[in-house]
Amino acid sequence: DSGVTQTPKHLITATGQRVTLRCSPRSGDLSVYWYQQSLDQGLQFLIQYYNGEERAKGNILERFSAQQFPDLHSELNLSSLELGDSALYFCASSVGGNFVTYNEQFFGPGTRLTVL
Amino acid sequence: AQSVTQLGSHVSVSEGALVLLRCNYSSSVPPYLFWYVQYPNQGLQLLLKYTSAATLVKGINGFEAEFKKSETSFHLTKPSAHMSDAAEYFCAVSARTPLVFGKGTRLSVIA
């Protein structure tokens, strides 16, 4: 158990809908990262928040957005869902927020999103 | 931009045999390199990391990897495979940037 929790475990929805995925980081970690794992694209970094502020952005679609709340939990919002958005979405957390020095990321179990 | 290439999407070994999973990277600056393991229906777990200290890195569960700058490689090895090693393995690079992952290698262990 990494100490990172994600809810829900599974989510099934229809095209065009909007969903929210939730992540609670390990106690004491200030950084939250979101990743998407799909058969087509593999494992890709989406976005990072550090202490409530966006710190880095990857291949995140404009239909997707995220935020980190004062209690440090984070939510990933996916809207206007398409079939291709079906994937496993991971959250990870770390103590630090920069990439210059090493900060180990601890991964949650993921949320499996199925878009029908 | 950095990238990672994992040679072989699927590797099959016999129990007790050597495990060798290959990873080559591309980076314009000295990188941090990682191997993660993913068991079915679970998140990623860090096996080992190279962060510019010793080039031979030992990790959990008997795995180790050697950073070879001249070959831009970071291959993962284990002397003797166990059935419990069957999983998906990901090599990743960070060149002072977010992690970039390889496509993964599925390791099967045959009894």
PDB file of all heavy atoms in Angstrom, chain B residues 34-73:
ATOM      1  N   PHE B  34      14.686   5.153 -13.940  1.00  0.00           N
ATOM      2  CA  PHE B  34      13.888   4.378 -13.003  1.00  0.00           C
ATOM      3  C   PHE B  34      13.367   3.103 -13.665  1.00  0.00           C
ATOM      4  O   PHE B  34      13.154   3.050 -14.875  1.00  0.00           O
ATOM      5  CB  PHE B  34      12.656   5.181 -12.552  1.00  0.00           C
ATOM      6  CG  PHE B  34      12.967   6.566 -12.055  1.00  0.00           C
ATOM      7  CD1 PHE B  34      13.065   7.628 -12.943  1.00  0.00           C
ATOM      8  CD2 PHE B  34      13.150   6.795 -10.707  1.00  0.00           C
ATOM      9  CE1 PHE B  34      13.350   8.906 -12.492  1.00  0.00           C
ATOM     10  CE2 PHE B  34      13.441   8.068 -10.245  1.00  0.00           C
ATOM     11  CZ  PHE B  34      13.540   9.121 -11.147  1.00  0.00           C
ATOM     12  N   TRP B  35      13.153   2.092 -12.831  1.00  0.00           N
ATOM     13  CA  TRP B  35      12.365   0.934 -13.216  1.00  0.00           C
ATOM     14  C   TRP B  35      11.212   0.813 -12.233  1.00  0.00           C
ATOM     15  O   TRP B  35      11.402   0.856 -11.012  1.00  0.00           O
ATOM     16  CB  TRP B  35      13.191  -0.349 -13.192  1.00  0.00           C
ATOM     17  CG  TRP B  35      13.985  -0.593 -14.438  1.00  0.00           C
ATOM     18  CD1 TRP B  35      15.310  -0.341 -14.636  1.00  0.00           C
ATOM     19  CD2 TRP B  35      13.505  -1.172 -15.658  1.00  0.00           C
ATOM     20  NE1 TRP B  35      15.678  -0.711 -15.907  1.00  0.00           N
ATOM     21  CE2 TRP B  35      14.586  -1.229 -16.558  1.00  0.00           C
ATOM     22  CE3 TRP B  35      12.259  -1.654 -16.078  1.00  0.00           C
ATOM     23  CZ2 TRP B  35      14.475  -1.737 -17.839  1.00  0.00           C
ATOM     24  CZ3 TRP B  35      12.146  -2.167 -17.359  1.00  0.00           C
ATOM     25  CH2 TRP B  35      13.253  -2.210 -18.227  1.00  0.00           C
ATOM     26  N   TYR B  36      10.004   0.666 -12.813  1.00  0.00           N
ATOM     27  CA  TYR B  36       8.804   0.449 -12.018  1.00  0.00           C
ATOM     28  C   TYR B  36       8.219  -0.906 -12.387  1.00  0.00           C
ATOM     29  O   TYR B  36       8.358  -1.370 -13.518  1.00  0.00           O
ATOM     30  CB  TYR B  36       7.747   1.518 -12.314  1.00  0.00           C
ATOM     31  CG  TYR B  36       8.028   2.875 -11.724  1.00  0.00           C
ATOM     32  CD1 TYR B  36       8.815   3.803 -12.409  1.00  0.00           C
ATOM     33  CD2 TYR B  36       7.483   3.241 -10.494  1.00  0.00           C
ATOM     34  CE1 TYR B  36       9.061   5.051 -11.865  1.00  0.00           C
ATOM     35  CE2 TYR B  36       7.720   4.498  -9.955  1.00  0.00           C
ATOM     36  CZ  TYR B  36       8.513   5.389 -10.646  1.00  0.00           C
ATOM     37  OH  TYR B  36       8.757   6.622 -10.109  1.00  0.00           O
ATOM     38  N   VAL B  37       7.502  -1.502 -11.434  1.00  0.00           N
ATOM     39  CA  VAL B  37       6.794  -2.753 -11.703  1.00  0.00           C
ATOM     40  C   VAL B  37       5.303  -2.533 -11.442  1.00  0.00           C
ATOM     41  O   VAL B  37       4.930  -1.784 -10.527  1.00  0.00           O
ATOM     42  CB  VAL B  37       7.332  -3.916 -10.825  1.00  0.00           C
ATOM     43  CG1 VAL B  37       7.169  -3.627  -9.332  1.00  0.00           C
ATOM     44  CG2 VAL B  37       6.661  -5.236 -11.182  1.00  0.00           C
ATOM     45  N   GLN B  38       4.499  -3.140 -12.294  1.00  0.00           N
ATOM     46  CA  GLN B  38       3.045  -3.047 -12.134  1.00  0.00           C
ATOM     47  C   GLN B  38       2.468  -4.453 -12.125  1.00  0.00           C
ATOM     48  O   GLN B  38       2.523  -5.160 -13.138  1.00  0.00           O
ATOM     49  CB  GLN B  38       2.427  -2.224 -13.268  1.00  0.00           C
ATOM     50  CG  GLN B  38       0.933  -2.021 -13.112  1.00  0.00           C
ATOM     51  CD  GLN B  38       0.333  -1.198 -14.250  1.00  0.00           C
ATOM     52  OE1 GLN B  38       0.863  -1.153 -15.357  1.00  0.00           O
ATOM     53  NE2 GLN B  38      -0.777  -0.527 -13.977  1.00  0.00           N
ATOM     54  N   TYR B  39       1.914  -4.841 -10.994  1.00  0.00           N
ATOM     55  CA  TYR B  39       1.212  -6.117 -10.907  1.00  0.00           C
ATOM     56  C   TYR B  39      -0.224  -5.913 -11.351  1.00  0.00           C
ATOM     57  O   TYR B  39      -0.737  -4.790 -11.295  1.00  0.00           O
ATOM     58  CB  TYR B  39       1.283  -6.673  -9.481  1.00  0.00           C
ATOM     59  CG  TYR B  39       2.704  -6.962  -9.041  1.00  0.00           C
ATOM     60  CD1 TYR B  39       3.384  -6.097  -8.191  1.00  0.00           C
ATOM     61  CD2 TYR B  39       3.378  -8.098  -9.493  1.00  0.00           C
ATOM     62  CE1 TYR B  39       4.691  -6.346  -7.802  1.00  0.00           C
ATOM     63  CE2 TYR B  39       4.682  -8.351  -9.113  1.00  0.00           C
ATOM     64  CZ  TYR B  39       5.327  -7.467  -8.280  1.00  0.00           C
ATOM     65  OH  TYR B  39       6.627  -7.711  -7.903  1.00  0.00           O
ATOM     66  N   PRO B  40      -0.899  -6.966 -11.778  1.00  0.00           N
ATOM     67  CA  PRO B  40      -2.267  -6.827 -12.278  1.00  0.00           C
ATOM     68  C   PRO B  40      -3.166  -6.087 -11.303  1.00  0.00           C
ATOM     69  O   PRO B  40      -3.149  -6.372 -10.094  1.00  0.00           O
ATOM     70  CB  PRO B  40      -2.714  -8.283 -12.466  1.00  0.00           C
ATOM     71  CG  PRO B  40      -1.449  -9.027 -12.731  1.00  0.00           C
ATOM     72  CD  PRO B  40      -0.405  -8.351 -11.886  1.00  0.00           C
ATOM     73  N   ASN B  41      -3.906  -5.126 -11.839  1.00  0.00           N
ATOM     74  CA  ASN B  41      -4.884  -4.360 -11.069  1.00  0.00           C
ATOM     75  C   ASN B  41      -4.260  -3.571  -9.919  1.00  0.00           C
ATOM     76  O   ASN B  41      -4.919  -3.326  -8.895  1.00  0.00           O
ATOM     77  CB  ASN B  41      -5.989  -5.269 -10.522  1.00  0.00           C
ATOM     78  CG  ASN B  41      -6.714  -5.986 -11.637  1.00  0.00           C
ATOM     79  OD1 ASN B  41      -7.096  -5.376 -12.627  1.00  0.00           O
ATOM     80  ND2 ASN B  41      -6.896  -7.277 -11.483  1.00  0.00           N
ATOM     81  N   GLN B  42      -3.009  -3.203 -10.071  1.00  0.00           N
ATOM     82  CA  GLN B  42      -2.337  -2.400  -9.050  1.00  0.00           C
ATOM     83  C   GLN B  42      -1.638  -1.208  -9.690  1.00  0.00           C
ATOM     84  O   GLN B  42      -1.482  -1.136 -10.905  1.00  0.00           O
ATOM     85  CB  GLN B  42      -1.326  -3.243  -8.275  1.00  0.00           C
ATOM     86  CG  GLN B  42      -1.954  -4.341  -7.430  1.00  0.00           C
ATOM     87  CD  GLN B  42      -0.940  -5.022  -6.546  1.00  0.00           C
ATOM     88  OE1 GLN B  42       0.067  -4.436  -6.144  1.00  0.00           O
ATOM     89  NE2 GLN B  42      -1.196  -6.283  -6.226  1.00  0.00           N
ATOM     90  N   GLY B  43      -1.222  -0.282  -8.849  1.00  0.00           N
ATOM     91  CA  GLY B  43      -0.451   0.860  -9.324  1.00  0.00           C
ATOM     92  C   GLY B  43       0.994   0.489  -9.547  1.00  0.00           C
ATOM     93  O   GLY B  43       1.384  -0.672  -9.431  1.00  0.00           O
ATOM     94  N   LEU B  44       1.794   1.480  -9.875  1.00  0.00           N
ATOM     95  CA  LEU B  44       3.211   1.255 -10.125  1.00  0.00           C
ATOM     96  C   LEU B  44       4.002   1.311  -8.825  1.00  0.00           C
ATOM     97  O   LEU B  44       3.744   2.146  -7.957  1.00  0.00           O
ATOM     98  CB  LEU B  44       3.762   2.315 -11.080  1.00  0.00           C
ATOM     99  CG  LEU B  44       3.499   2.087 -12.556  1.00  0.00           C
ATOM    100  CD1 LEU B  44       2.064   2.382 -12.907  1.00  0.00           C
ATOM    101  CD2 LEU B  44       4.431   2.940 -13.393  1.00  0.00           C
ATOM    102  N   GLN B  45       4.980   0.420  -8.722  1.00  0.00           N
ATOM    103  CA  GLN B  45       5.851   0.388  -7.558  1.00  0.00           C
ATOM    104  C   GLN B  45       7.287   0.575  -8.023  1.00  0.00           C
ATOM    105  O   GLN B  45       7.722  -0.073  -8.986  1.00  0.00           O
ATOM    106  CB  GLN B  45       5.709  -0.955  -6.837  1.00  0.00           C
ATOM    107  CG  GLN B  45       6.556  -1.083  -5.595  1.00  0.00           C
ATOM    108  CD  GLN B  45       6.432  -2.446  -4.949  1.00  0.00           C
ATOM    109  OE1 GLN B  45       5.819  -3.362  -5.487  1.00  0.00           O
ATOM    110  NE2 GLN B  45       7.017  -2.602  -3.771  1.00  0.00           N
ATOM    111  N   LEU B  46       8.018   1.465  -7.357  1.00  0.00           N
ATOM    112  CA  LEU B  46       9.405   1.708  -7.736  1.00  0.00           C
ATOM    113  C   LEU B  46      10.274   0.511  -7.371  1.00  0.00           C
ATOM    114  O   LEU B  46      10.311   0.089  -6.222  1.00  0.00           O
ATOM    115  CB  LEU B  46       9.919   2.968  -7.028  1.00  0.00           C
ATOM    116  CG  LEU B  46      11.345   3.390  -7.375  1.00  0.00           C
ATOM    117  CD1 LEU B  46      11.441   3.813  -8.838  1.00  0.00           C
ATOM    118  CD2 LEU B  46      11.787   4.536  -6.452  1.00  0.00           C
ATOM    119  N   LEU B  47      10.979  -0.010  -8.385  1.00  0.00           N
ATOM    120  CA  LEU B  47      11.912  -1.121  -8.162  1.00  0.00           C
ATOM    121  C   LEU B  47      13.291  -0.603  -7.797  1.00  0.00           C
ATOM    122  O   LEU B  47      13.923  -1.088  -6.866  1.00  0.00           O
ATOM    123  CB  LEU B  47      12.065  -1.942  -9.447  1.00  0.00           C
ATOM    124  CG  LEU B  47      11.156  -3.123  -9.706  1.00  0.00           C
ATOM    125  CD1 LEU B  47      11.531  -3.765 -11.032  1.00  0.00           C
ATOM    126  CD2 LEU B  47      11.251  -4.138  -8.577  1.00  0.00           C
ATOM    127  N   LEU B  48      13.755   0.365  -8.581  1.00  0.00           N
ATOM    128  CA  LEU B  48      15.068   0.945  -8.331  1.00  0.00           C
ATOM    129  C   LEU B  48      15.207   2.241  -9.124  1.00  0.00           C
ATOM    130  O   LEU B  48      14.401   2.514 -10.013  1.00  0.00           O
ATOM    131  CB  LEU B  48      16.194  -0.031  -8.707  1.00  0.00           C
ATOM    132  CG  LEU B  48      16.132  -0.715 -10.055  1.00  0.00           C
ATOM    133  CD1 LEU B  48      16.619   0.175 -11.188  1.00  0.00           C
ATOM    134  CD2 LEU B  48      16.977  -1.994 -10.047  1.00  0.00           C
ATOM    135  N   LYS B  49      16.260   3.006  -8.756  1.00  0.00           N
ATOM    136  CA  LYS B  49      16.457   4.297  -9.407  1.00  0.00           C
ATOM    137  C   LYS B  49      17.947   4.596  -9.538  1.00  0.00           C
ATOM    138  O   LYS B  49      18.763   4.161  -8.718  1.00  0.00           O
ATOM    139  CB  LYS B  49      15.791   5.402  -8.602  1.00  0.00           C
ATOM    140  CG  LYS B  49      16.357   5.542  -7.178  1.00  0.00           C
ATOM    141  CD  LYS B  49      15.586   6.557  -6.388  1.00  0.00           C
ATOM    142  CE  LYS B  49      16.180   6.728  -4.978  1.00  0.00           C
ATOM    143  NZ  LYS B  49      15.914   5.559  -4.123  1.00  0.00           N
ATOM    144  N   TYR B  50      18.276   5.338 -10.586  1.00  0.00           N
ATOM    145  CA  TYR B  50      19.616   5.880 -10.774  1.00  0.00           C
ATOM    146  C   TYR B  50      19.494   7.402 -10.726  1.00  0.00           C
ATOM    147  O   TYR B  50      18.768   7.994 -11.515  1.00  0.00           O
ATOM    148  CB  TYR B  50      20.199   5.449 -12.122  1.00  0.00           C
ATOM    149  CG  TYR B  50      21.437   6.229 -12.480  1.00  0.00           C
ATOM    150  CD1 TYR B  50      22.662   5.944 -11.876  1.00  0.00           C
ATOM    151  CD2 TYR B  50      21.384   7.275 -13.393  1.00  0.00           C
ATOM    152  CE1 TYR B  50      23.783   6.681 -12.174  1.00  0.00           C
ATOM    153  CE2 TYR B  50      22.505   8.019 -13.703  1.00  0.00           C
ATOM    154  CZ  TYR B  50      23.697   7.715 -13.088  1.00  0.00           C
ATOM    155  OH  TYR B  50      24.816   8.462 -13.380  1.00  0.00           O
ATOM    156  N   THR B  51      20.219   7.992  -9.764  1.00  0.00           N
ATOM    157  CA  THR B  51      20.157   9.452  -9.639  1.00  0.00           C
ATOM    158  C   THR B  51      21.563  10.018  -9.584  1.00  0.00           C
ATOM    159  O   THR B  51      21.855  10.907  -8.779  1.00  0.00           O
ATOM    160  CB  THR B  51      19.357   9.857  -8.392  1.00  0.00           C
ATOM    161  OG1 THR B  51      19.936   9.221  -7.242  1.00  0.00           O
ATOM    162  CG2 THR B  51      17.909   9.458  -8.508  1.00  0.00           C
ATOM    163  N   SER B  52      22.447   9.527 -10.425  1.00  0.00           N
ATOM    164  CA  SER B  52      23.815  10.008 -10.640  1.00  0.00           C
ATOM    165  C   SER B  52      24.773   9.660  -9.511  1.00  0.00           C
ATOM    166  O   SER B  52      25.763  10.336  -9.323  1.00  0.00           O
ATOM    167  CB  SER B  52      23.848  11.509 -10.928  1.00  0.00           C
ATOM    168  OG  SER B  52      23.538  12.247  -9.785  1.00  0.00           O
ATOM    169  N   ALA B  53      24.495   8.622  -8.775  1.00  0.00           N
ATOM    170  CA  ALA B  53      25.454   8.114  -7.797  1.00  0.00           C
ATOM    171  C   ALA B  53      26.109   6.866  -8.424  1.00  0.00           C
ATOM    172  O   ALA B  53      26.612   6.935  -9.521  1.00  0.00           O
ATOM    173  CB  ALA B  53      24.770   7.800  -6.473  1.00  0.00           C
ATOM    174  N   ALA B  54      26.093   5.755  -7.739  1.00  0.00           N
ATOM    175  CA  ALA B  54      26.695   4.534  -8.269  1.00  0.00           C
ATOM    176  C   ALA B  54      25.990   4.094  -9.548  1.00  0.00           C
ATOM    177  O   ALA B  54      24.763   4.183  -9.655  1.00  0.00           O
ATOM    178  CB  ALA B  54      26.606   3.419  -7.236  1.00  0.00           C
ATOM    179  N   THR B  55      26.763   3.608 -10.506  1.00  0.00           N
ATOM    180  CA  THR B  55      26.158   3.215 -11.780  1.00  0.00           C
ATOM    181  C   THR B  55      25.468   1.863 -11.706  1.00  0.00           C
ATOM    182  O   THR B  55      24.576   1.589 -12.496  1.00  0.00           O
ATOM    183  CB  THR B  55      27.220   3.162 -12.898  1.00  0.00           C
ATOM    184  OG1 THR B  55      28.263   2.268 -12.502  1.00  0.00           O
ATOM    185  CG2 THR B  55      27.796   4.545 -13.158  1.00  0.00           C
ATOM    186  N   LEU B  56      25.865   1.018 -10.754  1.00  0.00           N
ATOM    187  CA  LEU B  56      25.166  -0.250 -10.540  1.00  0.00           C
ATOM    188  C   LEU B  56      24.208  -0.039  -9.377  1.00  0.00           C
ATOM    189  O   LEU B  56      24.621   0.234  -8.254  1.00  0.00           O
ATOM    190  CB  LEU B  56      26.153  -1.366 -10.225  1.00  0.00           C
ATOM    191  CG  LEU B  56      25.545  -2.762 -10.028  1.00  0.00           C
ATOM    192  CD1 LEU B  56      24.816  -3.213 -11.291  1.00  0.00           C
ATOM    193  CD2 LEU B  56      26.613  -3.766  -9.629  1.00  0.00           C
ATOM    194  N   VAL B  57      22.947  -0.172  -9.688  1.00  0.00           N
ATOM    195  CA  VAL B  57      21.916   0.145  -8.705  1.00  0.00           C
ATOM    196  C   VAL B  57      21.193  -1.129  -8.286  1.00  0.00           C
ATOM    197  O   VAL B  57      20.766  -1.904  -9.144  1.00  0.00           O
ATOM    198  CB  VAL B  57      20.895   1.129  -9.313  1.00  0.00           C
ATOM    199  CG1 VAL B  57      19.806   1.441  -8.307  1.00  0.00           C
ATOM    200  CG2 VAL B  57      21.588   2.398  -9.773  1.00  0.00           C
ATOM    201  N   LYS B  58      21.078  -1.325  -6.998  1.00  0.00           N
ATOM    202  CA  LYS B  58      20.328  -2.483  -6.493  1.00  0.00           C
ATOM    203  C   LYS B  58      18.960  -2.028  -6.023  1.00  0.00           C
ATOM    204  O   LYS B  58      18.829  -0.958  -5.411  1.00  0.00           O
ATOM    205  CB  LYS B  58      21.093  -3.149  -5.350  1.00  0.00           C
ATOM    206  CG  LYS B  58      22.405  -3.773  -5.800  1.00  0.00           C
ATOM    207  CD  LYS B  58      23.061  -4.578  -4.707  1.00  0.00           C
ATOM    208  CE  LYS B  58      24.423  -5.096  -5.151  1.00  0.00           C
ATOM    209  NZ  LYS B  58      24.345  -5.988  -6.333  1.00  0.00           N
ATOM    210  N   GLY B  59      17.962  -2.849  -6.327  1.00  0.00           N
ATOM    211  CA  GLY B  59      16.609  -2.500  -5.944  1.00  0.00           C
ATOM    212  C   GLY B  59      15.967  -3.558  -5.078  1.00  0.00           C
ATOM    213  O   GLY B  59      16.640  -4.391  -4.494  1.00  0.00           O
ATOM    214  N   ILE B  60      14.654  -3.518  -5.061  1.00  0.00           N
ATOM    215  CA  ILE B  60      13.923  -4.486  -4.248  1.00  0.00           C
ATOM    216  C   ILE B  60      13.766  -5.807  -4.994  1.00  0.00           C
ATOM    217  O   ILE B  60      13.931  -5.865  -6.213  1.00  0.00           O
ATOM    218  CB  ILE B  60      12.539  -3.937  -3.847  1.00  0.00           C
ATOM    219  CG1 ILE B  60      11.684  -3.664  -5.091  1.00  0.00           C
ATOM    220  CG2 ILE B  60      12.691  -2.680  -3.002  1.00  0.00           C
ATOM    221  CD1 ILE B  60      10.246  -3.302  -4.775  1.00  0.00           C
ATOM    222  N   ASN B  61      13.443  -6.841  -4.241  1.00  0.00           N
ATOM    223  CA  ASN B  61      13.144  -8.158  -4.805  1.00  0.00           C
ATOM    224  C   ASN B  61      14.289  -8.762  -5.622  1.00  0.00           C
ATOM    225  O   ASN B  61      14.052  -9.577  -6.507  1.00  0.00           O
ATOM    226  CB  ASN B  61      11.881  -8.105  -5.688  1.00  0.00           C
ATOM    227  CG  ASN B  61      10.663  -7.630  -4.918  1.00  0.00           C
ATOM    228  OD1 ASN B  61      10.618  -7.728  -3.687  1.00  0.00           O
ATOM    229  ND2 ASN B  61       9.691  -7.099  -5.624  1.00  0.00           N
ATOM    230  N   GLY B  62      15.531  -8.359  -5.340  1.00  0.00           N
ATOM    231  CA  GLY B  62      16.684  -8.959  -5.999  1.00  0.00           C
ATOM    232  C   GLY B  62      17.025  -8.396  -7.363  1.00  0.00           C
ATOM    233  O   GLY B  62      17.914  -8.897  -8.050  1.00  0.00           O
ATOM    234  N   PHE B  63      16.336  -7.351  -7.782  1.00  0.00           N
ATOM    235  CA  PHE B  63      16.610  -6.734  -9.077  1.00  0.00           C
ATOM    236  C   PHE B  63      17.760  -5.740  -8.980  1.00  0.00           C
ATOM    237  O   PHE B  63      17.979  -5.139  -7.940  1.00  0.00           O
ATOM    238  CB  PHE B  63      15.362  -6.013  -9.603  1.00  0.00           C
ATOM    239  CG  PHE B  63      14.316  -6.933 -10.144  1.00  0.00           C
ATOM    240  CD1 PHE B  63      13.275  -7.372  -9.333  1.00  0.00           C
ATOM    241  CD2 PHE B  63      14.360  -7.356 -11.461  1.00  0.00           C
ATOM    242  CE1 PHE B  63      12.308  -8.237  -9.825  1.00  0.00           C
ATOM    243  CE2 PHE B  63      13.397  -8.212 -11.965  1.00  0.00           C
ATOM    244  CZ  PHE B  63      12.368  -8.648 -11.145  1.00  0.00           C
ATOM    245  N   GLU B  64      18.475  -5.586 -10.073  1.00  0.00           N
ATOM    246  CA  GLU B  64      19.479  -4.554 -10.174  1.00  0.00           C
ATOM    247  C   GLU B  64      19.559  -4.051 -11.619  1.00  0.00           C
ATOM    248  O   GLU B  64      19.062  -4.703 -12.541  1.00  0.00           O
ATOM    249  CB  GLU B  64      20.857  -5.035  -9.702  1.00  0.00           C
ATOM    250  CG  GLU B  64      21.469  -6.164 -10.472  1.00  0.00           C
ATOM    251  CD  GLU B  64      22.820  -6.562  -9.894  1.00  0.00           C
ATOM    252  OE1 GLU B  64      22.979  -6.586  -8.651  1.00  0.00           O
ATOM    253  OE2 GLU B  64      23.719  -6.857 -10.698  1.00  0.00           O
ATOM    254  N   ALA B  65      20.155  -2.877 -11.779  1.00  0.00           N
ATOM    255  CA  ALA B  65      20.296  -2.301 -13.114  1.00  0.00           C
ATOM    256  C   ALA B  65      21.611  -1.540 -13.160  1.00  0.00           C
ATOM    257  O   ALA B  65      22.085  -1.037 -12.150  1.00  0.00           O
ATOM    258  CB  ALA B  65      19.125  -1.369 -13.434  1.00  0.00           C
ATOM    259  N   GLU B  66      22.178  -1.474 -14.350  1.00  0.00           N
ATOM    260  CA  GLU B  66      23.438  -0.769 -14.516  1.00  0.00           C
ATOM    261  C   GLU B  66      23.274   0.363 -15.511  1.00  0.00           C
ATOM    262  O   GLU B  66      22.790   0.153 -16.633  1.00  0.00           O
ATOM    263  CB  GLU B  66      24.541  -1.715 -15.005  1.00  0.00           C
ATOM    264  CG  GLU B  66      25.913  -1.060 -15.042  1.00  0.00           C
ATOM    265  CD  GLU B  66      27.031  -2.020 -15.327  1.00  0.00           C
ATOM    266  OE1 GLU B  66      26.757  -3.211 -15.635  1.00  0.00           O
ATOM    267  OE2 GLU B  66      28.199  -1.591 -15.261  1.00  0.00           O
ATOM    268  N   PHE B  67      23.662   1.556 -15.096  1.00  0.00           N
ATOM    269  CA  PHE B  67      23.625   2.721 -15.964  1.00  0.00           C
ATOM    270  C   PHE B  67      24.892   2.727 -16.809  1.00  0.00           C
ATOM    271  O   PHE B  67      25.995   2.755 -16.271  1.00  0.00           O
ATOM    272  CB  PHE B  67      23.543   4.003 -15.140  1.00  0.00           C
ATOM    273  CG  PHE B  67      23.722   5.267 -15.927  1.00  0.00           C
ATOM    274  CD1 PHE B  67      22.772   5.647 -16.862  1.00  0.00           C
ATOM    275  CD2 PHE B  67      24.827   6.084 -15.734  1.00  0.00           C
ATOM    276  CE1 PHE B  67      22.923   6.824 -17.587  1.00  0.00           C
ATOM    277  CE2 PHE B  67      24.985   7.261 -16.459  1.00  0.00           C
ATOM    278  CZ  PHE B  67      24.031   7.622 -17.383  1.00  0.00           C
ATOM    279  N   LYS B  68      24.721   2.672 -18.130  1.00  0.00           N
ATOM    280  CA  LYS B  68      25.867   2.719 -19.046  1.00  0.00           C
ATOM    281  C   LYS B  68      25.682   3.911 -19.967  1.00  0.00           C
ATOM    282  O   LYS B  68      24.920   3.855 -20.940  1.00  0.00           O
ATOM    283  CB  LYS B  68      25.964   1.422 -19.849  1.00  0.00           C
ATOM    284  CG  LYS B  68      26.357   0.213 -19.020  1.00  0.00           C
ATOM    285  CD  LYS B  68      26.612  -0.998 -19.890  1.00  0.00           C
ATOM    286  CE  LYS B  68      27.098  -2.173 -19.056  1.00  0.00           C
ATOM    287  NZ  LYS B  68      27.367  -3.371 -19.883  1.00  0.00           N
ATOM    288  N   LYS B  69      26.405   4.970 -19.650  1.00  0.00           N
ATOM    289  CA  LYS B  69      26.250   6.214 -20.394  1.00  0.00           C
ATOM    290  C   LYS B  69      26.649   6.040 -21.858  1.00  0.00           C
ATOM    291  O   LYS B  69      25.981   6.554 -22.760  1.00  0.00           O
ATOM    292  CB  LYS B  69      27.104   7.305 -19.747  1.00  0.00           C
ATOM    293  CG  LYS B  69      26.946   8.668 -20.369  1.00  0.00           C
ATOM    294  CD  LYS B  69      27.784   9.692 -19.650  1.00  0.00           C
ATOM    295  CE  LYS B  69      27.678  11.059 -20.321  1.00  0.00           C
ATOM    296  NZ  LYS B  69      28.529  12.058 -19.616  1.00  0.00           N
ATOM    297  N   SER B  70      27.739   5.291 -22.098  1.00  0.00           N
ATOM    298  CA  SER B  70      28.237   5.144 -23.466  1.00  0.00           C
ATOM    299  C   SER B  70      27.240   4.409 -24.351  1.00  0.00           C
ATOM    300  O   SER B  70      27.211   4.613 -25.562  1.00  0.00           O
ATOM    301  CB  SER B  70      29.574   4.397 -23.458  1.00  0.00           C
ATOM    302  OG  SER B  70      29.412   3.107 -22.900  1.00  0.00           O
ATOM    303  N   GLU B  71      26.437   3.554 -23.727  1.00  0.00           N
ATOM    304  CA  GLU B  71      25.445   2.782 -24.485  1.00  0.00           C
ATOM    305  C   GLU B  71      24.036   3.360 -24.323  1.00  0.00           C
ATOM    306  O   GLU B  71      23.096   2.815 -24.898  1.00  0.00           O
ATOM    307  CB  GLU B  71      25.459   1.330 -24.014  1.00  0.00           C
ATOM    308  CG  GLU B  71      26.784   0.626 -24.244  1.00  0.00           C
ATOM    309  CD  GLU B  71      26.803  -0.796 -23.705  1.00  0.00           C
ATOM    310  OE1 GLU B  71      25.733  -1.315 -23.307  1.00  0.00           O
ATOM    311  OE2 GLU B  71      27.905  -1.385 -23.668  1.00  0.00           O
ATOM    312  N   THR B  72      23.910   4.419 -23.560  1.00  0.00           N
ATOM    313  CA  THR B  72      22.605   5.019 -23.189  1.00  0.00           C
ATOM    314  C   THR B  72      21.621   3.920 -22.810  1.00  0.00           C
ATOM    315  O   THR B  72      20.485   3.873 -23.299  1.00  0.00           O
ATOM    316  CB  THR B  72      22.029   5.905 -24.317  1.00  0.00           C
ATOM    317  OG1 THR B  72      21.813   5.124 -25.510  1.00  0.00           O
ATOM    318  CG2 THR B  72      22.948   7.066 -24.629  1.00  0.00           C
ATOM    319  N   SER B  73      22.074   3.034 -21.919  1.00  0.00           N
ATOM    320  CA  SER B  73      21.225   1.916 -21.520  1.00  0.00           C
ATOM    321  C   SER B  73      21.068   1.849 -20.004  1.00  0.00           C
ATOM    322  O   SER B  73      21.892   2.379 -19.241  1.00  0.00           O
ATOM    323  CB  SER B  73      21.802   0.594 -22.030  1.00  0.00           C
ATOM    324  OG  SER B  73      23.018   0.287 -21.364  1.00  0.00           O
TER     325      SER B  73
END
